[in-house]
Amino acid sequence: MGHLAYVISGALVGFLVGMTGVGGGSLMTPLLILLCGIHPKAAVGTDLVYAAVTKLFGTVLHRRCGPVRWSIVLWMMAGSLPGVAVALLWLRHLGSPQEMAHVIRLSLGICLLVTAPAILFRPTLKAWVLRHQLGGPVQSRVLTVVLGFVLGCMVSLSSVGAGAIGMAVLVMLYPTLPLRELVAIDIAHAIPLTLIAGAGHWMEGDVMVPTLLLLLSGSLPGIWLGTHCAGRCPERWQRLILGTLLLLIGVKMI
């Protein structure tokens, strides 16, 4: 795959991230695996660093984050950091590269199939939770730690889940919080999570730096353009298009 193709791929994914706030890891990792022929472990490692930078840049451009409830972020980190460690150790002790590639592709496919309905049915999930309270503060904290652990494992194995799935579950656990605050919590957790998981893959030699730089050279302008187009497409259609696309890619990966 030529250098220009990497730049264009980064620009397209960056544009979607700028418009919707999600989809970076969900789209870039399958693209690197299916179209570029990159080994799944290297694709995940490269995409984690790519996702952290693009999400940070997109957050600065959007400036829509509300006040961060750091207590919730810390409860999530209490679960996600052990999750990252467990997933990376498991990958290290897998057998052949073929077995590792199979595990990552399967994990990626499953994560995409979970992410798609989380995006498609987010308003329905929130409405259901508002009618059926899930529990008190203690139960919410326990479930927040569990959510963090699951996200840590998912992100380390597939680079998918930190944004879309994390946001969907936060809506279910804290339905009374304003959406702006939930977005701020999700981003405040997702950026360090992807950086930490990406650093773990980097130390394993799984980050392709030249490819990463080419992707970023396209994605940063793409995000800038996407943020200026945000809001011009109805949110319902954004969810429908992105959710359907992730569903199809997830089936293809499995």
Side-chain angles (χ1 to χ4, degrees):
M1 189 173 183
H3 291 177
L4 181 60
Y6 283 116
V7 175
I8 294 174
S9 299
L12 291 175
V13 175
F15 178 78
L16 288 174
V17 172
M19 276 198 68
T20 66
V22 297
S26 306
L27 294 173
M28 184 55 72
T29 302
L31 182 66
L32 293 175
I33 295 173
L34 296 176
L35 296 184
C36 305
I38 295 176
H39 188 278
K41 195 165 185 281
V44 169
T46 302
D47 181 62
L48 282 170
V49 181
Y50 164 85
V53 176
T54 53
K55 189 173 287 288
L56 179 61
F57 186 69
T59 301
V60 173
L61 287 178
H62 272 289
R63 301 178 185 272
R64 293 178 182 173
C65 298
V68 178
R69 297 196 176 229
W70 291 106
S71 59
I72 298 177
V73 175
L74 292 176
W75 282 112
M76 293 178 71
M77 294 293 289
S80 61
L81 293 184
V84 170
V86 168
L88 290 177
L89 287 174
W90 185 48
L91 284 176
R92 175 180 290 184
H93 289 89
L94 282 177
S96 64
Q98 292 78 13
E99 181 182 0
M100 185 181 300
H102 173 73
V103 168
I104 293 177
R105 283 181 66 106
L106 182 62
S107 301
L108 178 57
I110 293 173
C111 289
L112 290 174
L113 292 180
V114 174
T115 301
I119 292 174
L120 288 170
F121 304 113
R122 183 189 298 169
T124 304
L125 289 173
K126 182 174 182 178
W128 183 88
V129 172
L130 287 172
R131 293 194 302 267
H132 307 82
Q133 293 297 324
L134 295 181
V138 175
Q139 184 178 358
S140 296
R141 289 173 184 172
V142 173
L143 292 176
T144 301
V145 176
V146 173
L147 165 65
F149 182 83
V150 172
L151 288 179
C153 292
M154 290 176 60
V155 169
S156 299
L157 291 174
S158 67
S159 77
V160 175
I165 297 179
M167 186 64 186
V169 180
L170 282 172
V171 167
M172 297 179 66
L173 292 178
Y174 305 96
T176 59
L177 290 183
L179 182 61
R180 285 168 56 93
E181 292 191 23
L182 293 176
V183 171
I185 293 169
D186 186 49
I187 292 175
H189 175 253
I191 292 176
L193 173 59
T194 51
L195 279 174
I196 292 170
H201 279 274
W202 191 305
M203 289 188 291
E204 293 291 320
D206 298 327
V207 177
M208 302 172 64
V209 177
T211 301
L212 172 65
L213 295 177
L214 289 171
L215 293 174
L216 288 174
S217 67
S219 70
L220 299 185
I223 291 177
W224 180 86
L225 182 60
T227 57
H228 286 76
C229 295
R232 300 187 179 184
C233 177
E235 193 266 345
R236 177 184 177 185
W237 284 105
Q238 289 183 19
R239 287 190 291 105
L240 179 61
I241 294 171
L242 185 58
T244 303
L245 182 60
L246 296 183
L247 184 64
L248 295 174
I249 297 175
V251 173
K252 175 67 175 178
M253 294 300 299
I254 293 180

